[in-house]
Amino acid sequence: MADKGPHQNYLGMWGWVWGGNYKLERYLYLLHRITGLGLLLFGLFHLTVTTIFRVQGEAIWSSTISFLDNPLFRVGEFLVVAAFSYHALNGLRLIIQELGFALGKPVPPIYPFTDAIRRKRAWTLVTLAAIMVLAVAFFIDFTVRGWG
Amino acid sequence: MKNTYLQISQMITGALVAVLLAIHITVQQWFVVLGLLGIKVADPTTWGSMMERAHQGSWVGIYIALLAFGLFHALNGFRNILLEINLSALAIRILTGFIIAFGVIFLILGTYAPIALFSSYR
């Protein structure tokens, strides 16, 4: 009797490095996960710092902020806001497409096959353009204020 | 069915976190851009500015909501990634329990500061 169970994920995490036929969208998804993990790590660090040092009073808080005000942390801060811009806008695109919008009408499976997402790649490109605009705006803001 | 609810919750919390974090980052980072728009913002990292926000119920609400939704979204996303390692059912249960405990600890840690500072003002 044929196995009716779900397909096993044979590649596991190694499947991340190969986009296959999905190409651009698959690599955007990979970057979505990498930025998500980075934001999780930063979030835990940020939460710990703001909780522990904030409740200890003005002197400790001010010395902590002075310590963090250096080029290394400023570059890190820029990477965080850039990662957030990417993760948020690409996530919005993923939600919209997962709910069935911006996918295009179904077409008969005639060779060469194109999937629904790639028929509406313009949406992906618009999302990428918006992310670039935000990243540049943040870069200008950081540059005007100084990098540490 | 449980995973369906988790996936829907992941999408909803993702949208909420995007909005709340955009507010947080705009206030914390966009001095120059806000200045160009005619909105003057004092350096939000100074003690005085931080305490001013800590004493406003709306900011305390935003921070706690951001923390709760953010922790759920981040830790559930992390769990989704780890599930791709093809874990056994027992390992998934242990991992889920560990992640929930981790989230609860950080939720308590993170809500302590805003509530303590807000209470000290009243």
Side-chain angles (χ1 to χ4, degrees):
Chain A
M1 189 174 173
D3 181 15
K4 297 289 184 186
H7 290 289
Q8 291 298 311
N9 177 11
Y10 293 115
L11 290 176
M13 282 187 178
W14 288 109
W16 286 24
V17 295
W18 169 236
N21 288 328
Y22 291 101
K23 297 188 171 67
L24 176 65
E25 283 77 9
R26 181 60 181 264
Y27 293 112
L28 293 179
Y29 187 61
L30 172 61
L31 191 56
H32 191 79
R33 292 191 150 189
I34 291 170
T35 53
L37 287 172
L39 289 169
L40 170 61
L41 277 179
F42 172 78
L44 296 178
F45 169 76
H46 182 63
L47 189 63
T48 307
V49 167
T50 52
T51 299
I52 292 174
F53 298 117
R54 193 156 56 146
V55 294
Q56 293 187 56
E58 185 173 359
I60 300 285
W61 174 261
S62 298
S63 62
T64 306
I65 293 298
S66 300
F67 172 74
L68 295 176
D69 193 18
N70 67 61
L72 188 68
F73 278 96
R74 291 287 291 155
V75 170
E77 228 177 326
F78 172 72
L79 290 177
V80 167
V81 292
F84 164 70
S85 304
Y86 175 82
H87 197 83
L89 289 177
N90 190 56
L92 182 65
R93 179 185 67 84
L94 289 174
I95 290 174
I96 289 170
Q97 293 189 326
E98 187 164 338
L99 294 176
F101 301 103
L103 284 175
K105 290 179 182 173
V107 294
I110 299 168
Y111 188 84
F113 311 116
T114 54
D115 57 73
I117 290 177
R118 275 184 290 171
R119 282 201 303 277
K120 287 288 181 180
R121 183 161 275 170
W123 285 106
T124 305
L125 298 177
V126 166
T127 309
L128 285 175
I131 292 163
M132 288 303 292
V133 167
L134 270 179
V136 169
F138 276 118
F139 187 81
I140 291 169
D141 202 275
F142 273 72
T143 303
V144 170
R145 285 166 58 198
W147 291 91
Chain B
M1 188 57 103
K2 187 182 82 177
N3 284 331
T4 305
Y5 286 130
L6 282 175
Q7 177 64 6
I8 292 168
S9 304
Q10 184 74 355
M11 288 195 284
I12 293 169
T13 54
L16 291 169
V17 168
V19 173
L20 294 171
L21 205 52
I23 294 170
H24 180 56
I25 288 180
T26 301
V27 170
Q28 296 290 124
Q29 298 291 349
W30 258 8
F31 289 14
V32 178
V33 174
L34 288 176
L36 291 174
L37 296 172
I39 303 166
K40 297 293 175 198
V41 183
D43 183 353
T45 58
T46 61
W47 176 258
S49 176
M50 186 273 289
M51 286 305 283
E52 194 182 318
R53 288 195 306 281
H55 293 155
Q56 292 173 11
S58 54
W59 276 112
V60 175
I62 286 175
Y63 286 142
I64 293 175
L66 176 58
L67 176 70
F69 295 139
L71 273 174
F72 177 87
H73 185 80
L75 293 176
N76 188 48
F78 184 53
R79 178 180 174 273
N80 286 341
I81 290 172
L82 289 180
L83 292 189
E84 291 190 3
I85 309 174
N86 292 331
L87 299 168
S88 67
L90 176 65
I92 290 173
R93 275 204 297 275
I94 292 170
L95 174 74
T96 304
F98 179 76
I99 285 176
I100 290 171
F102 189 82
V104 169
I105 289 168
F106 268 89
L107 185 65
I108 293 168
L109 178 75
T111 48
Y112 170 71
I115 289 174
L117 292 174
F118 185 67
S119 306
S120 68
Y121 175 69
R122 304 198 80 190

PDB file of all heavy atoms in Angstrom, chain A residues 14-25:
ATOM      1  N   TRP A  14      19.725  22.383   4.563  1.00  0.00           N
ATOM      2  CA  TRP A  14      20.588  22.500   3.381  1.00  0.00           C
ATOM      3  C   TRP A  14      19.793  22.960   2.168  1.00  0.00           C
ATOM      4  O   TRP A  14      20.355  23.494   1.217  1.00  0.00           O
ATOM      5  CB  TRP A  14      21.298  21.179   3.091  1.00  0.00           C
ATOM      6  CG  TRP A  14      22.369  20.904   4.094  1.00  0.00           C
ATOM      7  CD1 TRP A  14      22.351  19.939   5.071  1.00  0.00           C
ATOM      8  CD2 TRP A  14      23.604  21.604   4.255  1.00  0.00           C
ATOM      9  NE1 TRP A  14      23.490  20.018   5.829  1.00  0.00           N
ATOM     10  CE2 TRP A  14      24.286  21.022   5.355  1.00  0.00           C
ATOM     11  CE3 TRP A  14      24.199  22.672   3.585  1.00  0.00           C
ATOM     12  CZ2 TRP A  14      25.524  21.472   5.790  1.00  0.00           C
ATOM     13  CZ3 TRP A  14      25.437  23.120   4.028  1.00  0.00           C
ATOM     14  CH2 TRP A  14      26.084  22.525   5.118  1.00  0.00           C
ATOM     15  N   GLY A  15      18.484  22.748   2.213  1.00  0.00           N
ATOM     16  CA  GLY A  15      17.632  23.202   1.115  1.00  0.00           C
ATOM     17  C   GLY A  15      17.624  24.722   0.977  1.00  0.00           C
ATOM     18  O   GLY A  15      17.216  25.263  -0.046  1.00  0.00           O
ATOM     19  N   TRP A  16      18.096  25.411   2.022  1.00  0.00           N
ATOM     20  CA  TRP A  16      18.125  26.867   1.997  1.00  0.00           C
ATOM     21  C   TRP A  16      19.049  27.408   0.902  1.00  0.00           C
ATOM     22  O   TRP A  16      18.786  28.463   0.334  1.00  0.00           O
ATOM     23  CB  TRP A  16      18.662  27.406   3.319  1.00  0.00           C
ATOM     24  CG  TRP A  16      17.750  27.321   4.472  1.00  0.00           C
ATOM     25  CD1 TRP A  16      16.711  26.468   4.649  1.00  0.00           C
ATOM     26  CD2 TRP A  16      17.798  28.135   5.627  1.00  0.00           C
ATOM     27  NE1 TRP A  16      16.125  26.694   5.857  1.00  0.00           N
ATOM     28  CE2 TRP A  16      16.763  27.708   6.477  1.00  0.00           C
ATOM     29  CE3 TRP A  16      18.617  29.170   6.047  1.00  0.00           C
ATOM     30  CZ2 TRP A  16      16.524  28.295   7.711  1.00  0.00           C
ATOM     31  CZ3 TRP A  16      18.382  29.746   7.276  1.00  0.00           C
ATOM     32  CH2 TRP A  16      17.339  29.319   8.101  1.00  0.00           C
ATOM     33  N   VAL A  17      20.158  26.718   0.664  1.00  0.00           N
ATOM     34  CA  VAL A  17      21.187  27.297  -0.202  1.00  0.00           C
ATOM     35  C   VAL A  17      20.883  27.117  -1.692  1.00  0.00           C
ATOM     36  O   VAL A  17      21.589  27.660  -2.534  1.00  0.00           O
ATOM     37  CB  VAL A  17      22.586  26.705   0.093  1.00  0.00           C
ATOM     38  CG1 VAL A  17      23.028  27.071   1.485  1.00  0.00           C
ATOM     39  CG2 VAL A  17      22.592  25.205  -0.087  1.00  0.00           C
ATOM     40  N   TRP A  18      19.848  26.361  -2.023  1.00  0.00           N
ATOM     41  CA  TRP A  18      19.542  26.123  -3.436  1.00  0.00           C
ATOM     42  C   TRP A  18      18.124  26.624  -3.729  1.00  0.00           C
ATOM     43  O   TRP A  18      17.152  26.078  -3.221  1.00  0.00           O
ATOM     44  CB  TRP A  18      19.690  24.636  -3.774  1.00  0.00           C
ATOM     45  CG  TRP A  18      19.160  24.243  -5.114  1.00  0.00           C
ATOM     46  CD1 TRP A  18      18.231  23.280  -5.358  1.00  0.00           C
ATOM     47  CD2 TRP A  18      19.508  24.786  -6.379  1.00  0.00           C
ATOM     48  NE1 TRP A  18      17.971  23.198  -6.696  1.00  0.00           N
ATOM     49  CE2 TRP A  18      18.748  24.116  -7.364  1.00  0.00           C
ATOM     50  CE3 TRP A  18      20.388  25.794  -6.798  1.00  0.00           C
ATOM     51  CZ2 TRP A  18      18.834  24.411  -8.723  1.00  0.00           C
ATOM     52  CZ3 TRP A  18      20.468  26.091  -8.154  1.00  0.00           C
ATOM     53  CH2 TRP A  18      19.708  25.394  -9.089  1.00  0.00           C
ATOM     54  N   GLY A  19      18.038  27.682  -4.553  1.00  0.00           N
ATOM     55  CA  GLY A  19      16.742  28.282  -4.838  1.00  0.00           C
ATOM     56  C   GLY A  19      15.918  27.499  -5.848  1.00  0.00           C
ATOM     57  O   GLY A  19      14.713  27.684  -5.947  1.00  0.00           O
ATOM     58  N   GLY A  20      16.577  26.612  -6.620  1.00  0.00           N
ATOM     59  CA  GLY A  20      15.860  25.828  -7.625  1.00  0.00           C
ATOM     60  C   GLY A  20      15.107  26.708  -8.598  1.00  0.00           C
ATOM     61  O   GLY A  20      15.574  27.783  -8.976  1.00  0.00           O
ATOM     62  N   ASN A  21      13.917  26.277  -8.982  1.00  0.00           N
ATOM     63  CA  ASN A  21      13.151  27.025  -9.973  1.00  0.00           C
ATOM     64  C   ASN A  21      12.543  28.307  -9.425  1.00  0.00           C
ATOM     65  O   ASN A  21      12.028  29.119 -10.181  1.00  0.00           O
ATOM     66  CB  ASN A  21      12.035  26.142 -10.545  1.00  0.00           C
ATOM     67  CG  ASN A  21      12.596  25.074 -11.460  1.00  0.00           C
ATOM     68  OD1 ASN A  21      13.609  25.308 -12.114  1.00  0.00           O
ATOM     69  ND2 ASN A  21      11.960  23.916 -11.480  1.00  0.00           N
ATOM     70  N   TYR A  22      12.557  28.467  -8.096  1.00  0.00           N
ATOM     71  CA  TYR A  22      11.944  29.664  -7.517  1.00  0.00           C
ATOM     72  C   TYR A  22      12.853  30.886  -7.626  1.00  0.00           C
ATOM     73  O   TYR A  22      12.409  32.003  -7.570  1.00  0.00           O
ATOM     74  CB  TYR A  22      11.559  29.411  -6.049  1.00  0.00           C
ATOM     75  CG  TYR A  22      10.430  28.433  -5.942  1.00  0.00           C
ATOM     76  CD1 TYR A  22      10.676  27.111  -5.621  1.00  0.00           C
ATOM     77  CD2 TYR A  22       9.136  28.839  -6.203  1.00  0.00           C
ATOM     78  CE1 TYR A  22       9.635  26.205  -5.553  1.00  0.00           C
ATOM     79  CE2 TYR A  22       8.081  27.945  -6.133  1.00  0.00           C
ATOM     80  CZ  TYR A  22       8.338  26.626  -5.806  1.00  0.00           C
ATOM     81  OH  TYR A  22       7.315  25.739  -5.741  1.00  0.00           O
ATOM     82  N   LYS A  23      14.160  30.627  -7.744  1.00  0.00           N
ATOM     83  CA  LYS A  23      15.171  31.672  -7.966  1.00  0.00           C
ATOM     84  C   LYS A  23      15.032  32.869  -7.037  1.00  0.00           C
ATOM     85  O   LYS A  23      15.195  32.726  -5.837  1.00  0.00           O
ATOM     86  CB  LYS A  23      15.169  32.070  -9.437  1.00  0.00           C
ATOM     87  CG  LYS A  23      15.566  30.902 -10.344  1.00  0.00           C
ATOM     88  CD  LYS A  23      15.751  31.314 -11.756  1.00  0.00           C
ATOM     89  CE  LYS A  23      16.363  30.186 -12.576  1.00  0.00           C
ATOM     90  NZ  LYS A  23      15.499  29.034 -12.735  1.00  0.00           N
ATOM     91  N   LEU A  24      14.756  34.076  -7.591  1.00  0.00           N
ATOM     92  CA  LEU A  24      14.801  35.314  -6.811  1.00  0.00           C
ATOM     93  C   LEU A  24      13.993  35.220  -5.513  1.00  0.00           C
ATOM     94  O   LEU A  24      14.497  35.529  -4.428  1.00  0.00           O
ATOM     95  CB  LEU A  24      14.301  36.488  -7.659  1.00  0.00           C
ATOM     96  CG  LEU A  24      14.207  37.826  -6.928  1.00  0.00           C
ATOM     97  CD1 LEU A  24      15.587  38.311  -6.519  1.00  0.00           C
ATOM     98  CD2 LEU A  24      13.535  38.880  -7.819  1.00  0.00           C
ATOM     99  N   GLU A  25      12.734  34.776  -5.624  1.00  0.00           N
ATOM    100  CA  GLU A  25      11.866  34.762  -4.440  1.00  0.00           C
ATOM    101  C   GLU A  25      12.401  33.820  -3.365  1.00  0.00           C
ATOM    102  O   GLU A  25      12.264  34.077  -2.172  1.00  0.00           O
ATOM    103  CB  GLU A  25      10.439  34.359  -4.823  1.00  0.00           C
ATOM    104  CG  GLU A  25       9.633  35.460  -5.484  1.00  0.00           C
ATOM    105  CD  GLU A  25      10.009  35.689  -6.946  1.00  0.00           C
ATOM    106  OE1 GLU A  25      10.781  34.868  -7.492  1.00  0.00           O
ATOM    107  OE2 GLU A  25       9.536  36.675  -7.542  1.00  0.00           O
TER     108      GLU A  25
END
